[in-house]
Amino acid sequence: MTEVTLSNVVKKYGAHQAVHGIDLDIADGEFVVLVGPSGCGKSTTLRMIAGLEDISGGEVSIGGRVVNDLPPRERNISMVFQNYALYPHMTVRENLGFSLHIAKQDPDQIKIAVDDAAAILGLDELMDRKPAELSGGQRQRVAMGRAIVRHPDVFLFDEPLSNLDAKLRTQMRAEIKKLHQRIGNTIIYVTHDQVEAMTLADRIVLMRDGHIVQVGTPLELFNTPVDTFVASFIGSPPMNLVDGTVNGANLTLTDGTILPIPLTARGLLHDGQAIHFGFRADNLMPIGHAVDEEGEIITLDLTVTLTEPLGTETVLFTEFGGAEVQAKMFNPRPVIPGEAMKFQMVLDKCHVFDAKTGKAIRS
Amino acid sequence: MPRRRLPEWFLLLLPAIIVIAAVVLIPLIFSLYSSFTPYKLTRPSTLWKWIGTYNYEKILTDAKFWAAFGRTVLFLTIALNLEMLLGLGIALMVNKVTWGQRTLRTILMFPMMFSPILVGFQFKFIFNDNIGLVNNALQSMGFNVALPWLVDGKLAMFSIAFAEIWMSTSVFAILILAGLFAMPRDPLEAAKVDGCTPWQSFRHITLPFLMPFIYIAMTIRSLDVARAYDIVQIMTGGGPARRTELLWTLMSRTGYVDARMGLANAMGYVSILLSIFFTVYFFRKLSAARAEIGMGS
Ligand SMILES: Nc1ncnc2c1ncn2[C@@H]1O[C@H](COP(=O)(O)OP(=O)(O)O)[C@@H](O)[C@H]1O
Ligand SMILES: [Mg+2]
């Protein structure tokens, strides 16, 4: 059993505090993704778990054992680095077998383990090459192979795909997921890309400025963001946010549009309160090109200003409540900019955020 | 009628060609030619007498020459290896220093800034058996000895090597330090995660990466040592009684003291072979080590 627990973990670089007391429980076999804008302390957190950075405060434990003062080699973890970090003077085979060689394993067993990992990752053909003779994707595979040969308790990934091109990234993403399903180890994965986080994670940890903002499954973060930061970070396109004020049982948006308060926020607002009204693009659809929705539906007449056809759907840009917002059209037909269309919106799926704190208001 | 003109590139290169010919090519040809004559500085007419390979045959059967040759090879081997080890140690330590590293690096270069002659005189004084610092220190520590540092054969070789190493270890230290600075941090971290102790990281990751830098230093130094005449000449002059005779003191003695320039030049050409051998050897190693860490060969 290898759960990983962080309690009140702090990292200071001199006077600068990079991580502010993080608490996190990761279950055995869980795939957890740390995501957030760059500089928010994801790598620092991961490197503290790996033992590559000293821990300035709090405790990290792996498998129930506090590891604060243990060197990386005694933590039974393996790590895949953003720049691959292969050993340039060793062949692929030597790279893969290095950790076992250091652990003084029997050469025959090393060969079996290395061939095994190579087969999983399709590296058989490349065993005698040096890293300099490999492409980016191949290096990435070797780096992953090096991590899996050892059968560690925990895998740590630090933005392993960010140096690959888009197509390869998608492919490797799927491979990492398969790998997890196959091996079932605990994985802690760092990325700044919300798509990677959404697609890979059992649970997402969204960080900002050295704090954890929200922890939850991808759908939890998508459907019930705790504040405007989560709402605009998760999901593509980001959630539409429109300013407004509470006016009795209604919301008045900047341009005077009046809407009923969504069900989830009813009774939690006070008159005159400044708010952000939030909804996703796929909750604003032209009538006739919508996917069926249940609940309290309102209709709106809006003018399309720009279209982005994506094939199965088209993103429509339009003005609503005094802001530019994005809508989605399913089963799209050609739309000319300037065309007025009737849209529908499911009020129950909309969000209300307090304008001062940015926090979501929902029951 | 158009006059034939020399091509422009040739005209532009001409001054350089003339200078190089005057200071390198002509002396080279002259010395090579004179090594086939019994040329004596005191009797210029001997320059015109061709004696074929007589000088070379003489050298190759000369026990004194071979003694100096052997001593030189031994000296080179010991000095270069010790310089490498010390330089590596110093570089690793300086690399760990976080405060005042710049100053340290500058201090490290000091020995290289002195003229070898000065260093020679300095160590000649330090190792002097009468008034030298070393013996003085030994005596004030209660050892009632006056070691003949520059007189005893072994001790004198030690003293010369000491001076040479003192002066040139920093070449290794600085080049290896440059290697350490250029070293990517990632593979070291990967090694830590892969289970390496600090020593294993050094042995398997750092050292292979530093090898090209070490061989660059070796190549430079092998050229250097092959012409390191000054320190030996000042400290012992190859003596006493040829106990510290190295190739270059032997050559200068033969050429200038005995005035047998033809013979001296022949010795010069034999020892150039030695020097070329060392350089080629290290250069090969350098290329191999570069290929090893994927720097391309
Ligand atoms: N070695 C260091 N020294 C000082 N500050 C650092 C160091 N490493 C990271 N930081 C700072 O810590 C913060 C978090 O960095 P990092 O964890 O690398 O962010 P990211 O989420 O992009 O991985 C950043 O503000 C960064 O500038
Ligand atoms: Mg990072």
Side-chain angles (χ1 to χ4, degrees):
Chain A
M1 291 298 286
T2 36
E3 57 288 339
V4 177
T5 309
L6 311 189
S7 47
N8 197 22
V9 169
V10 172
K11 178 69 195 182
K12 287 185 187 139
Y13 290 110
H16 172 73
Q17 188 157 351
V19 175
H20 300 262
I22 279 186
D23 290 300
L24 187 62
D25 281 308
I26 297 167
D28 181 39
E30 195 175 18
F31 196 137
V32 166
V33 175
L34 305 184
V35 67
S38 100
C40 71
K42 312 175 294 280
S43 296
T44 307
T45 307
L46 194 75
R47 292 165 56 81
M48 283 193 285
I49 299 172
L52 294 171
E53 295 282 353
D54 292 333
I55 298 165
S56 314
E59 258 180 17
V60 173
S61 44
I62 298 175
R65 188 170 56 132
V66 177
V67 295
N68 281 33
D69 298 320
L70 296 183
R73 65 174 182 280
E74 287 171 37
R75 298 189 184 197
N76 200 19
I77 41 142
S78 58
M79 183 155 169
V80 178
F81 295 81
Q82 179 172 356
N83 301 315
Y84 320 127
L86 301 180
Y87 308 124
H89 56 293
M90 297 183 197
T91 61
V92 169
R93 175 176 291 285
E94 288 163 342
N95 262 286
L96 293 177
F98 183 68
S99 60
L100 303 179
H101 173 73
I102 287 297
K104 300 213 162 51
Q105 283 205 8
D106 176 56
D108 294 334
Q109 271 177 339
I110 295 181
K111 189 168 183 332
I112 293 171
V114 167
D115 286 340
D116 217 31
I120 292 177
L121 292 162
L123 291 169
D124 320 64
E125 310 277 296
L126 309 170
M127 295 307 262
D128 296 318
R129 297 213 198 152
K130 294 263 177 77
E133 301 161 327
L134 301 177
S135 71
Q138 291 168 332
R139 286 181 206 183
Q140 188 53 57
R141 257 177 245 269
V142 177
M144 273 169 51
R146 193 171 62 179
I148 65 175
V149 259
R150 216 150 41 91
H151 298 292
D153 293 334
V154 182
F155 281 120
L156 307 174
F157 289 86
D158 191 356
E159 311 224 5
L161 306 183
S162 52
N163 288 349
L164 304 180
D165 61 54
K167 194 173 165 204
L168 206 52
R169 194 150 59 214
T170 319
Q171 188 189 334
M172 291 301 287
R173 204 166 68 202
E175 284 190 31
I176 291 177
K177 198 157 189 177
K178 275 187 219 148
L179 191 73
H180 180 241
Q181 283 167 1
R182 178 172 174 151
I183 308 182
N185 287 33
T186 311
I187 293 185
I188 307 176
Y189 185 106
V190 162
T191 178
H192 65 268
D193 178 1
Q194 62 94 16
V195 178
E196 250 170 59
M198 292 291 282
T199 48
L200 287 172
D202 289 333
R203 216 145 50 101
I204 294 179
V205 177
L206 182 51
M207 293 180 67
R208 180 195 199 181
D209 296 340
H211 294 277
I212 291 181
V213 184
Q214 188 171 6
V215 181
T217 64
L219 285 182
E220 277 168 4
L221 265 71
F222 188 81
N223 291 328
T224 53
V226 295
D227 61 14
T228 49
F229 172 72
V230 182
S232 39
F233 194 89
I234 299 286
S236 170
M239 186 182 284
N240 297 304
L241 292 172
V242 182
D243 294 348
T245 45
V246 179
N247 187 2
N250 294 320
L251 301 174
T252 310
L253 305 182
T254 332
D255 71 343
T257 309
I258 294 180
L259 296 168
I261 293 175
L263 191 61
T264 49
R266 266 172 219 169
L268 301 172
L269 303 171
H270 58 81
D271 230 15
Q273 185 177 359
I275 53 102
H276 300 298
F277 177 73
F279 59 94
R280 298 220 175 258
D282 45 12
N283 187 18
L284 182 65
M285 297 171 284
I287 291 172
H289 294 275
V291 285
D292 282 342
E293 297 280 7
E294 317 227 307
E296 190 176 354
I297 292 179
I298 55 172
T299 55
L300 303 158
D301 288 305
L302 301 171
T303 307
V304 175
T305 54
L306 191 75
T307 65
E308 281 182 352
L310 296 172
T312 51
E313 65 201 39
T314 294
V315 177
L316 304 175
F317 288 69
T318 173
E319 288 268 326
F320 170 70
E324 178 170 83
V325 300
Q326 299 175 39
K328 264 187 192 172
M329 177 190 214
F330 295 93
N331 295 318
R333 64 165 173 82
V335 177
I336 309 150
E339 189 177 334
M341 298 179 89
K342 238 185 192 358
F343 286 84
Q344 67 169 58
M345 181 193 277
V346 181
L347 204 56
D348 300 350
K349 287 176 71 184
C350 296
H351 306 262
V352 180
F353 302 95
D354 184 75
K356 274 203 209 80
T357 61
K359 295 261 177 277
I361 301 169
R362 73 169 72 85
S363 47
Chain B
M1 191 181 82
R3 226 184 55 188
R4 252 191 84 74
R5 293 181 53 178
L6 290 168
E8 230 162 82
W9 61 266
F10 185 76
L11 277 179
L12 289 171
L13 283 176
L14 203 57
I17 292 174
I18 292 172
V19 170
I20 288 175
V23 304
V24 179
L25 206 59
I26 293 174
L28 209 64
I29 292 169
F30 178 77
S31 61
L32 184 63
Y33 164 76
S34 71
S35 73
F36 294 101
T37 67
Y39 183 39
K40 273 194 91 136
L41 289 178
T42 47
R43 262 179 282 151
S45 62
T46 49
L47 186 56
W48 310 115
K49 193 172 158 203
W50 182 264
I51 54 167
T53 55
Y54 176 80
N55 282 333
Y56 289 93
E57 282 159 31
K58 185 157 180 197
I59 291 166
L60 297 182
T61 54
D62 182 3
K64 282 195 212 100
F65 176 81
W66 284 116
F69 188 93
R71 214 176 274 126
T72 306
V73 172
L74 191 70
F75 179 75
L76 274 172
T77 311
I78 291 177
L80 286 186
N81 278 303
L82 282 179
E83 283 172 24
M84 192 268 280
L85 287 178
L86 288 171
L88 183 63
I90 291 173
L92 287 173
M93 278 193 284
V94 171
N95 192 38
K96 285 277 173 217
V97 173
T98 48
W99 193 85
Q101 198 189 56
R102 227 176 247 270
T103 318
L104 261 179
R105 259 155 39 205
T106 313
I107 292 175
L108 212 55
M109 309 247 261
F110 278 175
M112 292 162 72
M113 296 176 192
F114 297 119
S115 147
I117 305 244
L118 221 58
V119 176
F121 275 123
Q122 201 58 48
F123 278 96
K124 188 175 186 172
F125 164 69
I126 288 173
F127 284 116
N128 187 294
D129 44 6
N130 254 327
I131 55 161
L133 275 184
V134 179
N135 277 349
N136 227 313
L138 284 177
Q139 275 159 14
S140 50
M141 280 190 300
F143 299 98
N144 201 4
V145 287
L147 290 177
W149 288 107
L150 295 173
V151 180
D152 177 80
K154 289 216 176 68
L155 282 178
M157 281 314 290
F158 167 84
S159 308
I160 293 171
F162 191 94
E164 187 66 38
I165 289 168
W166 180 86
M167 196 174 78
S168 301
T169 292
S170 50
V171 174
F172 279 88
I174 284 172
L175 280 166
I176 292 174
L177 196 59
L180 284 171
F181 286 163
M183 176 146 193
R185 209 181 50 160
D186 282 6
L188 277 178
E189 294 194 331
K192 271 192 206 167
V193 173
D194 267 350
C196 284
T197 60
W199 162 250
Q200 285 169 324
S201 297
F202 173 75
R203 165 77 190 72
H204 295 290
I205 313 296
T206 310
L207 198 57
F209 185 83
L210 290 181
M211 278 332 273
F213 294 87
I214 289 175
Y215 284 123
I216 289 172
M218 285 274 188
T219 313
I220 293 175
R221 283 291 297 145
S222 69
L223 290 168
D224 242 15
V225 178
R227 52 189 178 79
Y229 166 69
D230 7 33
I231 286 191
V232 194
Q233 183 60 30
I234 296 295
M235 285 178 71
T236 64
R242 295 184 188 268
R243 278 172 211 151
T244 56
E245 191 86 298
L246 299 177
L247 278 177
W248 39 91
T249 54
L250 179 64
M251 259 182 275
S252 73
R253 188 193 312 285
T254 313
Y256 297 112
V257 180
D258 306 347
R260 290 155 70 183
M261 198 44 96
L263 186 63
N265 280 335
M267 287 178 180
Y269 278 96
V270 173
S271 42
I272 279 176
L273 287 181
L274 175 69
S275 167
I276 290 176
F277 167 79
F278 267 97
T279 308
V280 167
Y281 174 76
F282 288 130
F283 203 76
R284 285 250 173 101
K285 287 279 200 188
L286 169 62
S287 302
R290 276 171 60 88
E292 174 83 8
I293 63 165
M295 279 182 174
S297 39

